[in-house]
Amino acid sequence: MPRNTETKPDARRKLLDSARMKIRKTGFGSMTVDELCKDAGVTKGAFFHHFKSKEEFGVATANNWDELTSGFFKDAPYHTLADPLERFLGYIRFRRELVTGDIYEFTCVVGTMVQEIFETSSDIRDACHESMFNHAELLVDDIEAAMNIYPPNTKIDAHSLALHTQAVFQGAFVLAKSTNNAAKAREIAWEMIDHLERYVLLLFGQTTNDGGKK
Amino acid sequence: MPRNTETKPDARRKLLDSARMKIRKTGFGSMTVDELCKDAGVTKGAFFHHFKSKEEFGVATANNWDELTSGFFKDAPYHTLADPLERFLGYIRFRRELVTGDIYEFTCVVGTMVQEIFETSSDIRDACHESMFNHAELLVDDIEAAMNIYPPNTKIDAHSLALHTQAVFQGAFVLAKSTNNAAKAREIAWEMIDHLERYVLLLFGQTTNDGGKK
DNA sequence: GACAGAATACCAACCAGTTGGTATGTTTTG
DNA sequence: CAAAACATACCAACTGGTTGGTATTCTGTC
């Protein structure tokens, strides 16, 4: 029985892949190692070969999520736009488009995790923090450039605004999870993101002629 | 040994009181019945006398949270303001003031719960949904009245805007939980709420002369 | 043949929920 | 009106299944 000769995805990878779905569905605490291994098609021995504890696996999952999203957004199309405000708006619109499929597919792994482990595991908490805050930080340059071109009436901090985008997404996910079906969940998330877009447009003095936008 | 003749707070009440803190700290799944009972100073037998399962207790906790917050906001001072926009802003500012103390004291029970049980318990999920959405609904009348007095440039839905306030609070709590101390957590939550206030002001055509607001 | 990756078997601690029982309050009835 | 019958609130000990984690062995590759 050849174990894993040409099929690259090894146990570690499979576990991290499955954890992303599992955690968004049940949270970290309620995700058991046994079930995760079953989902990933991997034995428990393999799990504890690669990770010395469930907590360490939590940290690895947060880091993995960070790498995954970082790479994904680095290659996103909105970066090619000439205007920095358009790039910022492009980011928001891009994330709006990512709200598709089932709830556990478009919500956030680290946002879910941090809610329940912030008091019990500082390592996982810090890893989640890094993922969210570093991601927000990627927006700061565009926001600052946009503020130079379209100076807002109010003095606002670019870091704070970048973080606010993350807050709106996270909050939208919480509301989305409270609905009883994916279609309604997406609808709500979209609406919340539309408010965020509108806020940015108003902030930078753009007229919002989106008329009957849903 | 007289059990509970004149000492009013019975086991049921004590359990619900403790659960509010416990759930915000550890989430629902990771909260064990044993530990909850220990915290509440109640035996496990009492728990299962009042609630026939942990899940039913989760529903009761969400309903209890709903009643508690409903009552609390009904008596809040901002309702006496004459202008509906001021009442809406008053709500936001009131909630900003509630962000004090430790993280598990100002974050949201149902927001935490729904993230991890939305797939595993539809009963708890629905109870959380009701708590959040009914709470948002309380803002709709003031928002609609404000829109009549200060018509926004953009056509927006009052229900959607009301929901957006909840999204920002929920998102702020997620970010807050990712920090490593309560002071930083509050700082972030306040910043996010300031953005929300600014959005509302811009939306209703008010100039935001909050200058160097932190 | 050394060594990493993976499988099996196992454990002690822990978990939600159950049991059988006691103390108190309330309702029914002779 | 008092005793019997019932209902409620609670308790401590227990149970069967589950949990994170370990010890050991096996397998393929350099």
Side-chain angles (χ1 to χ4, degrees):
Chain A
M1 204 186 298
R3 206 172 312 243
N4 217 358
T5 44
E6 42 269 348
T7 48
K8 272 278 166 182
D10 58 340
R12 191 190 148 89
R13 172 97 120 240
K14 284 195 229 166
L15 285 165
L16 288 169
D17 285 347
S18 294
R20 285 200 301 276
M21 302 303 164
K22 207 98 186 147
I23 288 172
R24 283 182 284 191
K25 278 186 191 172
T26 69
F28 181 76
S30 303
M31 175 192 76
T32 70
V33 176
D34 281 302
E35 258 192 67
L36 174 69
C37 290
K38 218 181 70 187
D39 267 33
V42 155
T43 60
K44 211 169 168 178
F47 179 96
F48 283 101
H49 172 73
H50 289 282
F51 309 97
K52 71 164 179 284
S53 67
K54 192 190 174 189
E55 185 180 11
E56 196 194 90
F57 179 73
V59 174
T61 305
N63 290 336
N64 177 251
W65 179 252
D66 189 26
E67 288 161 28
L68 222 70
T69 52
S70 290
F72 188 68
F73 282 96
K74 208 195 302 272
D75 302 335
Y78 60 84
H79 288 296
T80 60
L81 295 166
D83 188 85
L85 178 56
E86 280 303 313
R87 286 200 296 276
F88 182 32
L89 291 165
Y91 166 79
I92 294 170
R93 289 164 186 154
F94 182 63
R95 286 212 62 173
R96 192 187 192 279
E97 280 169 34
L98 294 179
V99 177
T100 49
D102 223 322
I103 296 176
Y104 60 85
E105 292 173 315
F106 67 75
T107 50
C108 179
V109 172
V110 293
T112 305
M113 249 201 295
V114 80
Q115 281 248 47
E116 38 158 356
I117 50 78
F118 78 105
E119 277 249 337
T120 42
S121 167
S122 54
D123 287 347
I124 299 179
R125 189 238 297 135
D126 292 345
C128 292
H129 180 87
E130 194 137 320
S131 176
M132 291 192 289
F133 279 61
N134 284 354
H135 184 74
E137 205 58 26
L138 297 175
L139 301 169
V140 169
D141 285 349
D142 283 342
I143 294 175
E144 279 178 346
M147 290 198 299
N148 285 330
I149 302 176
Y150 313 97
N153 289 340
T154 322
K155 203 97 206 139
I156 53 152
D157 180 52
H159 297 270
S160 177
L161 181 57
L163 220 45
H164 181 65
T165 63
Q166 302 311 301
V168 173
F169 292 126
Q170 293 295 342
F173 297 155
V174 172
L175 295 183
K177 281 187 171 181
S178 81
T179 63
N180 56 12
N181 74 75
K184 218 181 288 177
R186 290 192 296 265
E187 193 70 39
I188 285 174
W190 287 330
E191 277 183 40
M192 299 305 108
I193 298 171
D194 289 341
H195 282 288
L196 175 62
E197 184 186 340
R198 203 175 291 117
Y199 173 46
V200 172
L201 287 169
L202 287 165
L203 209 49
F204 288 95
Q206 311 292 301
T207 42
T208 60
N209 44 7
D210 52 2
K213 184 165 220 174
K214 206 21 173 336
Chain B
M1 207 184 299
R3 205 167 314 241
N4 215 359
T5 44
E6 45 270 346
T7 48
K8 272 275 166 185
D10 60 339
R12 191 189 147 90
R13 172 97 118 238
K14 284 195 229 167
L15 285 164
L16 289 169
D17 285 347
S18 295
R20 284 201 301 276
M21 303 301 164
K22 206 100 186 145
I23 288 172
R24 283 182 284 191
K25 278 186 191 172
T26 69
F28 180 76
S30 303
M31 176 191 74
T32 70
V33 176
D34 281 302
E35 258 192 67
L36 174 70
C37 291
K38 217 181 70 186
D39 268 32
V42 155
T43 61
K44 210 168 171 179
F47 179 95
F48 282 100
H49 170 73
H50 290 283
F51 309 98
K52 73 165 179 284
S53 68
K54 192 188 173 189
E55 184 180 11
E56 196 193 88
F57 178 73
V59 175
T61 304
N63 290 336
N64 177 251
W65 179 252
D66 189 27
E67 288 162 27
L68 222 69
T69 52
S70 290
F72 187 68
F73 282 96
K74 209 197 301 275
D75 302 335
Y78 60 85
H79 289 295
T80 61
L81 296 166
D83 188 86
L85 177 56
E86 281 304 312
R87 286 201 296 276
F88 183 32
L89 290 166
Y91 166 79
I92 294 170
R93 289 164 186 153
F94 182 63
R95 286 212 62 173
R96 192 186 191 279
E97 280 168 31
L98 294 179
V99 178
T100 49
D102 223 322
I103 296 176
Y104 59 87
E105 291 173 314
F106 66 76
T107 49
C108 178
V109 172
V110 292
T112 304
M113 249 201 296
V114 81
Q115 281 248 46
E116 38 159 354
I117 50 76
F118 77 106
E119 277 250 335
T120 41
S121 167
S122 55
D123 287 348
I124 300 180
R125 189 238 297 136
D126 291 346
C128 292
H129 180 88
E130 193 137 319
S131 176
M132 292 192 290
F133 279 60
N134 284 354
H135 184 74
E137 205 60 25
L138 297 174
L139 301 168
V140 169
D141 285 348
D142 284 342
I143 294 175
E144 278 177 347
M147 290 198 300
N148 285 331
I149 303 175
Y150 313 98
N153 288 341
T154 321
K155 203 96 206 140
I156 53 153
D157 179 52
H159 297 269
S160 177
L161 180 56
L163 221 45
H164 180 66
T165 64
Q166 302 312 301
V168 173
F169 292 126
Q170 293 294 343
F173 296 156
V174 173
L175 295 183
K177 281 187 170 181
S178 81
T179 63
N180 55 14
N181 74 75
K184 217 180 289 177
R186 289 193 297 265
E187 192 70 39
I188 285 175
W190 287 331
E191 277 183 41
M192 299 305 108
I193 298 171
D194 289 341
H195 282 287
L196 175 61
E197 184 186 340
R198 202 175 292 117
Y199 174 47
V200 172
L201 287 169
L202 287 166
L203 209 47
F204 289 95
Q206 310 292 301
T207 42
T208 60
N209 43 8
D210 51 1
K213 187 166 217 173
K214 196 39 179 313

